[in-house]
Amino acid sequence: MKYLIVGLGNIGPEYADTRHNIGFMVLDYLAKKYDGNFDTGRHSFVTEIKSKGRTFVLVKPTTYMNLSGKAVGHWLNSLKLTADQMLVITDDIAIPFGKLRIRAKGSAGGHNGLKHIEQTLGHNNYPRLRFGVGDSFNKGKQVDFVLSKFSEDEQPELQTLIEKAADAVISFGTIGLERTMNQFNTK
């Protein structure tokens, strides 16, 4: 079985390790853990890892967040996979820092990367792992917040949360979406 795992983020050193790049951070961790090396692919950096008899194609779109659907559309078609064989990892300001939410489908919730994926696919019926980054920003400062690095208070917990999100990715491919939701969705 093969799965497409798309970690959302923006390319460039100015975006490295920001809240908006948590999808990239989770995929970087998975690639390192499973000896994957990212190469330049169509609209993305891409690598393949194997775990528990499954193949995971990890994709970090190079189109910037607002055009993430380009990479998604290309890789789903290229790999001949359906949307339910894909998991999109994204930041979410509506979820407290440290919480993970996995859903089979849902709205974009104002997230431009998810909006473009939905526009490209023509529907919102695809699994996503939403990584809570909190909402401690002043009115009108949302963009600055998601493009900022995690706070000093959040740093000690961050690596453990990235590892937990990576475990959820492997779980998605091995035990399925429903059981992964039951195991990893936190209250």
Side-chain angles (χ1 to χ4, degrees):
M1 288 293 296
K2 190 174 273 196
Y3 297 92
L4 175 64
I5 311 300
V6 181
L8 299 186
N10 286 312
I11 59 169
E14 67 272 30
Y15 299 110
D17 301 326
T18 62
R19 295 167 194 279
H20 223 25
N21 272 34
I22 195 64
F24 279 17
M25 295 162 74
V26 172
L27 293 195
D28 287 341
Y29 172 79
L30 277 166
K32 185 176 180 184
K33 181 176 179 177
Y34 291 95
D35 298 319
N37 293 304
F38 283 98
D39 290 318
T40 302
R42 181 107 184 256
H43 303 304
S44 61
F45 296 119
V46 62
T47 190
E48 203 173 272
I49 63 169
K50 294 188 185 313
S51 177
K52 301 180 181 179
R54 306 300 198 275
T55 299
F56 298 86
V57 178
L58 309 181
V59 168
K60 299 190 303 184
T62 56
T63 56
Y64 291 98
M65 189 66 76
N66 297 355
L67 297 175
S68 297
K70 280 186 171 186
V72 167
H74 167 75
W75 289 103
L76 280 176
N77 288 334
S78 174
L79 298 168
K80 295 176 178 42
L81 297 176
T82 58
D84 64 332
Q85 293 170 291
M86 171 181 71
L87 181 66
V88 175
I89 306 167
T90 186
D91 61 302
D92 196 314
I93 59 171
I95 300 174
F97 174 76
K99 304 292 183 193
L100 300 176
R101 296 269 162 71
I102 301 165
R103 296 283 185 260
K105 61 182 180 178
S107 79
H111 193 286
N112 289 333
L114 295 179
K115 280 183 194 173
H116 195 259
I117 292 169
E118 186 175 320
Q119 183 182 357
T120 301
L121 297 178
H123 61 80
N124 64 1
N125 295 323
Y126 61 90
R128 75 273 319 265
L129 188 165
R130 296 165 41 207
F131 191 109
V133 296
D135 64 357
S136 57
F137 55 89
N138 294 325
K139 187 176 171 111
K141 297 292 184 187
Q142 176 178 332
V143 171
D144 294 336
F145 179 73
V146 296
L147 295 179
S148 69
K149 295 190 184 307
F150 289 91
S151 72
E152 249 181 65
D153 292 344
E154 294 165 334
Q155 286 294 335
E157 218 180 326
L158 184 58
Q159 187 58 38
T160 302
L161 294 169
I162 289 171
E163 291 171 13
K164 185 176 179 183
D167 290 345
V169 168
I170 301 300
S171 174
F172 167 74
T174 54
I175 66 170
L177 180 63
E178 292 297 322
R179 288 175 61 197
T180 298
M181 287 167 55
N182 291 337
Q183 186 175 337
F184 287 91
N185 284 345
T186 50
K187 304 253 187 255

